[in-house]
Amino acid sequence: MKNPLYVFALQSEAVGHFEHTEPLFVGVGKLNAMYSLMKRITQQKPSIIINLGSAGSTTHNRGEVVCCTRFVQRDMDVTPLGFEKYKTPFSLHPPVIYYGLEVEGLAQGICGTGDSFVTNHNCDDYDVIDMEAFPLAWVAMQEEIPFLCLKYISDGADGAAATDWPETVKLAAEALRKTVDGILG
């Protein structure tokens, strides 16, 4: 933990609680996340990547912090060509990446990452919905850097998500800081 890299999509997920960590704000979406993380780790390889942010869920309670240990690209679907759902064609990796540190005492989640804001989640393949974690986990795995992913459940990935998220994301930074402090001491 001598050189951790805290990674957020947006400053609003960290405001007031992580300024001393020199966080990386990658922006929204998979491409922004991958590009920003790769650029940073080529400049300075961290001892651990800690992805913190907000996410939707129909399973976990709003206000809960969930530790994601498995990741899928929820918008990768090449099943018409015979590929398994979520599988990147011709990739050596399985559709579900198992690359995240577990934290005892926190709910575990499977994070479905995609480039859309979900307002009607209706599948059981993943129980946390975000827009950045999959490529962050993938890069960490490729670079053999430990990866911790904690998501603050900000909305129900339902019809109210678009109005809930802007209000509840304001609570994410404090909850994530308390969780990180509890883990790291």
Side-chain angles (χ1 to χ4, degrees):
M1 291 300 297
K2 62 182 176 173
N3 183 28
L5 175 58
Y6 291 86
V7 180
F8 297 86
L10 303 169
Q11 288 181 320
S12 60
E13 296 170 320
V15 69
H17 294 279
F18 289 91
E19 287 76 10
H20 67 287
T21 66
E22 298 182 38
L24 172 63
F25 300 105
V26 298
V28 175
K30 295 186 301 184
L31 288 176
N32 287 329
M34 180 175 276
Y35 173 77
S36 297
L37 181 59
M38 287 301 304
K39 187 173 178 179
R40 174 65 73 89
I41 65 176
T42 59
Q43 297 167 350
Q44 182 181 15
K45 189 170 181 175
S47 59
I48 184 173
I49 296 168
I50 303 172
N51 174 224
L52 304 170
S54 58
S57 181
T58 57
T59 306
H60 301 284
N61 296 321
R62 290 182 189 141
E64 182 177 11
V65 175
V66 177
C67 180
C68 296
T69 57
R70 293 177 279 171
F71 306 89
V72 299
Q73 289 192 86
R74 61 180 163 81
D75 54 1
M76 179 60 72
D77 187 352
V78 192
T79 55
L81 295 179
F83 292 95
E84 187 177 353
K85 192 168 184 181
Y86 312 124
K87 170 84 171 150
T88 300
F90 313 108
S91 169
L92 299 176
H93 301 287
V96 179
I97 294 177
Y98 291 78
Y99 196 76
L101 299 172
E102 292 184 24
V103 176
E104 190 175 325
L106 288 182
Q108 303 295 303
I110 303 170
C111 188
T113 301
D115 285 325
S116 61
F117 187 84
V118 176
T119 58
N120 186 24
H121 179 66
N122 58 5
C123 82
D124 296 329
D125 297 342
Y126 46 88
D127 57 3
V128 174
I129 298 106
D130 90 329
M131 299 176 73
E132 297 82 26
F134 179 89
L136 299 175
W138 189 86
V139 167
M141 183 175 67
Q142 298 305 307
E143 296 295 316
E144 298 179 349
I145 301 170
F147 184 69
L148 176 63
C149 181
L150 304 176
K151 295 295 181 175
Y152 174 84
I153 304 304
S154 58
D155 61 80
D158 55 16
T163 54
D164 289 349
W165 182 82
E167 291 303 314
T168 57
V169 73
K170 298 172 187 174
L171 307 172
E174 182 177 358
L176 291 166
R177 182 80 236 178
K178 286 179 182 178
T179 302
V180 168
D181 288 348
I183 295 167
L184 304 179

